[in-house]
Amino acid sequence: LDWIVLDDERPNSWTIRADTDIVGPIVVRYCLEPEGDATRCIHHVTNPRRPSGPSEEQVRGIEAESMAGLASRKRHVEERLRPQAA
């Protein structure tokens, strides 16, 4: 999917959208909350063209893609913050 950033309210939230042929647009809003030494990430998934919520299978697929994307972003941030060898 090609995701487009709709809203970036650092460091509190991030909203993205992908258009799909089958179910139409998917909008995901990530809300970030500090929690001790970590950050809690809560995501809300909507589809403006569907009055009902996503199926369990769709939720699992979105969850898997979200986790993979967040893991990738985490890896990139950690690499940038890692001390460089002399």
Side-chain angles (χ1 to χ4, degrees):
L1 297 175
D2 291 325
W3 293 95
I4 299 168
V5 176
L6 300 178
D7 184 21
D8 186 357
E9 297 178 19
R10 294 177 193 210
N12 302 315
S13 66
W14 185 49
T15 306
I16 56 176
R17 183 190 81 222
D19 293 312
T20 68
D21 294 334
I22 297 173
V23 297
I26 299 170
V27 178
V28 181
R29 181 167 179 81
Y30 294 94
C31 296
L32 308 170
E33 300 173 1
E35 192 169 277
D37 291 339
T39 301
R40 175 182 294 275
C41 179
I42 301 168
H43 65 276
H44 306 275
V45 179
T46 58
N47 181 328
R49 292 193 193 158
R50 290 183 68 158
S52 63
S55 70
E56 288 299 316
E57 182 179 343
Q58 289 170 322
V59 169
R60 283 191 299 274
I62 292 166
E63 182 76 23
E65 187 169 320
S66 294
M67 295 306 292
L70 288 171
S72 176
R73 290 183 61 83
K74 179 180 184 283
R75 193 169 44 255
H76 288 291
V77 168
E78 288 172 344
E79 286 174 4
R80 267 197 331 223
L81 297 176
R82 188 175 306 135
Q84 300 296 319

